[in-house]
Amino acid sequence: MEKYLAPEPIGEGDLHDQWRRFKREFTQFLTAVGKGTVDEKVKLAMFLRTVGPRVNDMYETMRFEEGEDSYSYKVIA
């Protein structure tokens, strides 16, 4: 069985560049492991476990607009 590696977590440095690269690689990773069409909450959980503590901490402090689903991968990513 082939091994698909998740993208490297976002660390210190330029958040903008790291975010673009991480999002691209995470989307590719979801497709490679057959999770591209799973429930939004599952994708978000995978995303938060993979993205690293810097962005995970940011997520914990985010405020959402009325009607936005804070558990949706589409809203976050």
Side-chain angles (χ1 to χ4, degrees):
M1 179 176 173
E2 294 182 49
K3 183 177 181 179
Y4 300 101
L5 299 176
E8 291 292 318
I10 291 177
E12 296 301 316
D14 185 345
L15 184 59
H16 183 269
D17 286 342
Q18 289 187 61
W19 177 260
R20 282 195 342 229
R21 183 175 52 251
F22 181 87
K23 187 174 175 187
R24 180 186 68 239
E25 291 177 4
F26 186 76
T27 300
Q28 294 167 349
F29 172 72
L30 284 176
T31 301
V33 297
K35 300 292 186 186
T37 59
V38 298
D39 180 76
E40 289 293 301
K41 290 181 182 180
V42 172
K43 278 193 230 182
L44 178 62
M46 291 175 71
F47 173 82
L48 291 173
R49 290 295 303 147
T50 308
V51 74
R54 182 177 181 191
V55 176
N56 209 321
D57 289 345
M58 290 177 180
Y59 171 74
E60 290 298 319
T61 63
M62 289 176 72
R63 295 176 188 226
F64 298 91
E65 297 291 325
E66 183 77 27
E68 279 187 319
D69 184 358
S70 63
Y71 296 104
S72 171
Y73 174 74
K74 287 180 185 176
V75 170
I76 303 304

